[in-house]
Amino acid sequence: WTAGNLIGMLALVGGLVAYVIGASIGSGNTTLTLTLGIAAGASLPMPLLFALAKGGLHTVVGMSREAAWRIHVAVGSIALLFSLVHGAVSFWTFEGDIFTSFFWVMGFVSVLLMILGVVPAYVHVLAPKVLRYDKFKLMHFASFWGYVAALVHMWDHAAKFQTVRSILVAALSTAAALAFIAEKLFVTCTAFRAAVDVSASDVMSDSEARHIVLALKVPGFSYAPGQWGYLKAPKLSAVAHPFTIVPGSSTDREQVRFFMKVGGTGTFTEGLAAAVDAIKRNAPGGGQQSNLVSDQTHDLGLRLEGPYGTPPRMDAASVDAVVFVLGGVGVTPALSLVPRARELHKANRVRLLWSLRSPTLLQRCAPMLAHHLEGSSPSVFIKKGLGQPPGGFPLGAQEGRVDVAGFLEKAA
């Protein structure tokens, strides 16, 4: 979060509250109810506009996709709050009469569906072991159907009262929904989406973590450094999962890789790791091979969709230097971005700070970075007490805690 984000959220809430007070002060409960409805309807398109992949508000203001998701959650919570207050005041004002109209009932249905879609998001963030990503994503779809029910409610209001504000709010909310649907259809029709062959797979384990490495044979697939794709394994999960695309073999341009940290019990990555381990145990040689032919991994039914994401601009005309601050498996974007940065800048203009716990992950990723970081003195820190191997850790990694502030001050 930045100061600009917080100011924007406060301005939105303050503006809506000021409108409700200014438009309903000195009037009765009926006016207050209608005014709250307009405020709720006006805030409703905001979450959708920040959920768009490329044509959303974040693109207009130059905001990253990750920051846009945080704003999506915040403005969605604000819209839900005003909808709840509108519903409560409606019930207080009209009591049982609200159930005499189908369109009024749709307003309450919309609030219930939005609650069903939004609350799981908070549960997943605060207690991911209680509600896993897969179930949260499926439940979150309920909020969109709540949005559709709210549109029915708003257009009935606009048709009955025929005020400029009621028609404008209903029209804007409808336009946001149509834009969201249109983009989903466009992505569905234009994105690469196909079953893939697994040319190699492995599960790396040490005392700190487990990581999956998948090498996929994907003819005709192209991507830019830093982009990501959705992996879907229908036998493991009904939900597609996003992972950063890692460059494949230097001799095979149709190969891409994915590095994933294995989560806890019941997660997609845990199920995928178990499937890879089972395949290795049944492979010739009793699982001693880390490279598996595609026929042995075909049962996973993996599908790839993408690529997605807008890579950062790193050209010399736009930036003076490129600094990477990474943690753990969050190194994966840098595995393609560092080589690209070195193509555009001298060694002393590309700096890297990486803090991690897994020596196996360091061993696996170091060869992909070492050549491109020559002369740039990378700062890599690994957890203390793991036992330094003969010759030291790759990339000159040091044991101990990282001083991010000191690194950034030195890099500046």
Side-chain angles (χ1 to χ4, degrees), residues 48-321:
L48 274 187
L49 293 176
F50 277 101
L52 296 174
K54 292 185 178 180
L57 289 179
H58 69 286
T59 305
V60 177
V61 299
M63 183 183 295
S64 70
R65 193 74 195 91
E66 292 73 17
W69 278 119
R70 291 193 290 271
I71 301 299
H72 166 77
V73 173
V75 294
S77 301
I78 291 170
L80 179 58
L81 177 62
F82 274 89
S83 298
L84 283 169
V85 175
H86 169 56
V89 174
S90 299
F91 192 81
W92 176 41
T93 302
F94 301 108
E95 298 180 344
D97 291 342
I98 61 174
F99 297 111
T100 60
S101 168
F102 167 77
F103 298 102
W104 287 10
V105 170
M106 289 300 287
F108 277 90
V109 170
S110 72
V111 172
L112 292 176
L113 287 173
M114 288 181 197
I115 292 174
L116 182 61
V118 171
V119 171
Y122 286 102
V123 175
H124 172 69
V125 171
L126 298 174
K129 293 183 179 180
V130 175
L131 187 64
R132 296 297 186 186
Y133 177 86
D134 303 62
K135 291 182 180 178
F136 143 64
K137 288 293 290 184
L138 290 173
M139 296 177 71
H140 190 55
F141 289 135
S143 59
F144 179 76
W145 294 111
Y147 191 102
V148 173
L151 288 179
V152 175
H153 177 69
M154 282 189 279
W155 276 113
D156 172 67
H157 179 88
K160 286 180 178 176
F161 294 93
Q162 296 186 2
T163 60
V164 173
R165 59 183 182 178
S166 62
I167 295 173
L168 183 61
V169 165
L172 289 175
S173 298
T174 303
L178 291 176
F180 180 79
I181 294 171
E183 185 181 70
K184 290 295 182 184
L185 291 174
F186 175 78
V187 170
T188 300
C189 296
T190 59
F192 178 94
R193 182 183 287 103
V196 295
D197 290 327
V198 181
S199 56
S201 61
D202 195 13
V203 178
M204 309 181 298
S205 300
D206 55 40
S207 61
E208 299 302 313
R210 300 172 69 211
H211 295 88
I212 305 168
V213 179
L214 287 181
L216 308 180
K217 188 77 169 180
V218 195
F221 182 75
S222 62
Y223 68 97
Q227 289 191 301
W228 53 275
Y230 279 116
L231 276 181
K232 187 171 184 179
K235 294 187 178 181
L236 299 178
S237 171
V239 176
H241 290 249
F243 297 101
T244 302
I245 301 168
V246 176
S249 168
S250 58
T251 59
D252 188 351
R253 301 186 63 84
E254 293 186 341
Q255 186 187 79
V256 297
R257 285 184 286 185
F258 292 92
F259 289 15
M260 318 166 205
K261 184 177 181 179
V262 179
T265 303
T267 61
F268 171 78
T269 50
E270 192 273 339
L272 184 58
V276 171
D277 279 337
I279 292 170
K280 290 178 65 177
R281 285 194 301 270
N282 296 327
Q288 298 302 310
Q289 306 172 35
S290 62
N291 294 331
L292 309 177
V293 297
S294 60
D295 287 346
Q296 294 170 312
T297 53
H298 183 72
D299 287 343
L300 292 177
L302 282 176
R303 297 184 63 85
L304 174 64
E305 178 185 317
Y308 297 113
T310 303
R313 294 189 63 181
M314 298 187 293
D315 56 285
S318 301
V319 297
D320 295 326

Side-chain angles (χ1 to χ4, degrees), residues 352 354 356 362-363 366 370 373 377-382 388-389 391-400:
L352 178 141
W354 183 20
L356 74 161
L362 174 61
Q363 193 76 33
L373 293 173
S377 302
S379 299
V380 181
F381 293 85
I382 194 166
Q388 193 168 117
F393 288 109
L395 299 178
Q398 307 172 44
E399 293 184 286

